[in-house]
Amino acid sequence: MLKGISIALTEHEMEQIEVAGFGLDQLEAQGLQLVTYVNTERYCAKELMLFPNQTCPEHLHPQVQGEQGKMETFRCRTGSVYLYVEGEATPVIQAKIPPGSEAYYTVFHEVALSPGEQYTIQPGVKHWFQAGDEGAVISEFSSTSRDEYDIFTDPRIQRMPVIQEDE
């Protein structure tokens, strides 16, 4: 729970909150909660919510059907977030890589975001992010989101939920 952090959502939006556990069964450490306000063939707007120190694993948004991958701007609303992108590695990063997943985190150029600060990630750029000790709410403004095509560096990750039927 994000103590003292709230965003106004309609009842319909609350019903549409996606809990992305990525198939890792480590939601508190590696996961993401999000609500999509709009996602059309031109643009997308989402709210991303992270528990304290929760990490969205490293991934990139590839070209899809001849169209550039997703370009996205993250704007920190509350809390703090450490965003890592391709580029010169920061000597000592503030995030803590989830134990057992160290091999799957490969980009370490740190961009620290506080409320009101934002950063734009270009298409095809590997990135990952982690909330600070108090959790975070991040607004995402982007081109069309096609999450099912995201490429994660961790081969264990399943971006789209898998429903298993009991036999």
Side-chain angles (χ1 to χ4, degrees):
M1 181 60 102
L2 301 174
K3 295 180 181 176
I5 297 176
S6 65
I7 55 174
L9 297 175
T10 66
E11 187 173 323
H12 175 73
E13 290 165 341
M14 299 241 334
E15 293 168 357
Q16 300 300 313
I17 291 175
E18 177 187 351
V19 177
F22 303 108
L24 297 174
D25 199 27
Q26 302 174 348
L27 184 62
E28 295 287 324
Q30 296 189 90
L32 177 68
Q33 297 68 233
L34 62 140
V35 62
T36 302
Y37 298 124
V38 62
N39 187 27
T40 71
E41 65 281 348
R42 295 192 56 191
Y43 67 98
C44 178
K46 298 179 183 182
E47 214 71 69
L48 313 176
M49 297 147 288
L50 292 106
F51 300 136
N53 305 114
Q54 189 179 35
T55 304
C56 180
E58 186 176 284
H59 64 284
L60 62 86
H61 307 289
Q63 186 175 24
V64 176
Q65 299 170 348
E67 293 183 23
Q68 269 192 327
K70 180 169 76 168
M71 182 169 85
E72 57 192 339
T73 297
F74 285 171
R75 183 174 179 88
C76 183
R77 296 297 188 181
T78 58
S80 59
V81 65
Y82 305 109
L83 171 63
Y84 298 90
V85 296
E86 294 177 40
E88 186 175 339
T90 301
V92 178
I93 66 169
Q94 296 183 69
K96 299 161 195 72
I97 297 174
S101 295
E102 295 86 354
Y104 308 119
Y105 289 83
T106 66
V107 298
F108 299 102
H109 179 78
E110 182 176 273
V111 178
L113 298 175
S114 296
E117 297 178 325
Q118 65 188 40
Y119 184 85
T120 299
I121 303 163
Q122 296 300 315
V125 172
K126 276 195 252 181
H127 60 284
W128 60 281
F129 51 98
Q130 183 177 90
D133 292 338
E134 66 284 358
V137 174
I138 305 159
S139 294
E140 175 192 314
F141 310 99
S142 71
S143 50
T144 303
S145 181
R146 295 179 179 95
D147 294 338
E148 65 274 19
Y149 295 105
D150 290 353
I151 297 172
F152 287 84
T153 52
D154 184 342
R156 302 171 299 169
I157 288 179
Q158 299 169 353
R159 175 57 185 97
M160 304 313 288
V162 175
I163 300 171
Q164 296 180 343
E165 298 285 331
D166 291 334
E167 293 183 35

